[in-house]
Amino acid sequence: MTDRPRTRSGAFARAEERGRHLAVTILSGPDMLTGEAFAHRLGLTVSDLRDLEQAHAVLVLPESSPREARYPAWQIDATGQPFPVLPALFDTLGDSGWTIYRFLMQSHPELAGQTALEALRDGRDALVVRLAHSLAEGTFA
């Protein structure tokens, strides 16, 4: 009986380490921009970018320090601006950038196997927001 807690603890520690490794891999990808690079791409100052961040109008993936945070370049739509549904996704799914990232990158049966990001690129914003609400409520879309 005393072995179980140690085994469970070891399993959690290994899972946390895998999660940290995956986060580092994601954050070091070529589509992940620093705040300065992302602000420049949007034609903004870093201060303006921080304001968008506070309003949940951009997706930022935090690391261990704010200086290491990354902004996915793919969140910029065809108009050169971040997807306009991002604030609604944060309102629905919570304040975690990683939660929004996972929602956008996962394939969803409700989207015929597409990712939410692919659906946004196809202009199906309302469907993506409905799916987020459905998932948040624990219902089916």
Side-chain angles (χ1 to χ4, degrees), residues 63-77:
E63 221 324 294
S64 57
S65 79
R67 295 191 139 199
E68 297 174 18
R70 294 292 183 260
Y71 298 78
W74 45 253
Q75 68 182 297
I76 299 173
D77 67 13

Side-chain angles (χ1 to χ4, degrees), residues 33-90:
L33 305 176
T34 64
E36 293 81 15
F38 192 70
H40 178 74
R41 188 165 288 186
L42 293 174
L44 302 172
T45 66
V46 172
S47 177
D48 292 336
L49 179 60
R50 299 287 180 253
D51 291 343
L52 289 178
E53 204 177 307
Q54 290 295 317
H56 290 138
V58 295
L59 175 59
V60 58
L61 299 174
E63 221 324 294
S64 57
S65 79
R67 295 191 139 199
E68 297 174 18
R70 294 292 183 260
Y71 298 78
W74 45 253
Q75 68 182 297
I76 299 173
D77 67 13
T79 69
Q81 296 301 308
F83 290 114
V85 301
L86 286 172
L89 295 179
F90 276 104

Side-chain angles (χ1 to χ4, degrees):
M1 195 79 158
T2 58
D3 287 340
R4 253 199 157 117
R6 269 186 272 158
T7 303
R8 179 185 270 180
S9 175
F12 282 127
R14 287 189 301 278
E16 286 176 342
E17 181 56 33
R18 283 191 308 273
R20 279 191 293 276
H21 178 68
L22 180 58
V24 167
T25 301
I26 290 168
L27 292 171
S28 64
D31 59 342
M32 295 293 163
L33 305 176
T34 64
E36 293 81 15
F38 192 70
H40 178 74
R41 188 165 288 186
L42 293 174
L44 302 172
T45 66
V46 172
S47 177
D48 292 336
L49 179 60
R50 299 287 180 253
D51 291 343
L52 289 178
E53 204 177 307
Q54 290 295 317
H56 290 138
V58 295
L59 175 59
V60 58
L61 299 174
E63 221 324 294
S64 57
S65 79
R67 295 191 139 199
E68 297 174 18
R70 294 292 183 260
Y71 298 78
W74 45 253
Q75 68 182 297
I76 299 173
D77 67 13
T79 69
Q81 296 301 308
F83 290 114
V85 301
L86 286 172
L89 295 179
F90 276 104
D91 285 347
T92 303
L93 299 173
D95 290 337
S96 169
W98 285 106
T99 299
I100 304 303
Y101 174 87
R102 188 173 72 188
F103 170 75
L104 291 171
M105 300 307 286
Q106 283 181 323
S107 295
H108 298 277
E110 301 87 349
L111 300 173
Q114 277 192 317
T115 66
L117 176 59
E118 291 168 327
L120 288 177
R121 286 180 176 156
D122 289 345
R124 298 186 299 153
D125 297 22
L127 181 59
V128 169
V129 172
R130 279 196 312 271
L131 174 59
H133 280 285
S134 190
L135 292 172
E137 294 170 0
T139 58
F140 294 97

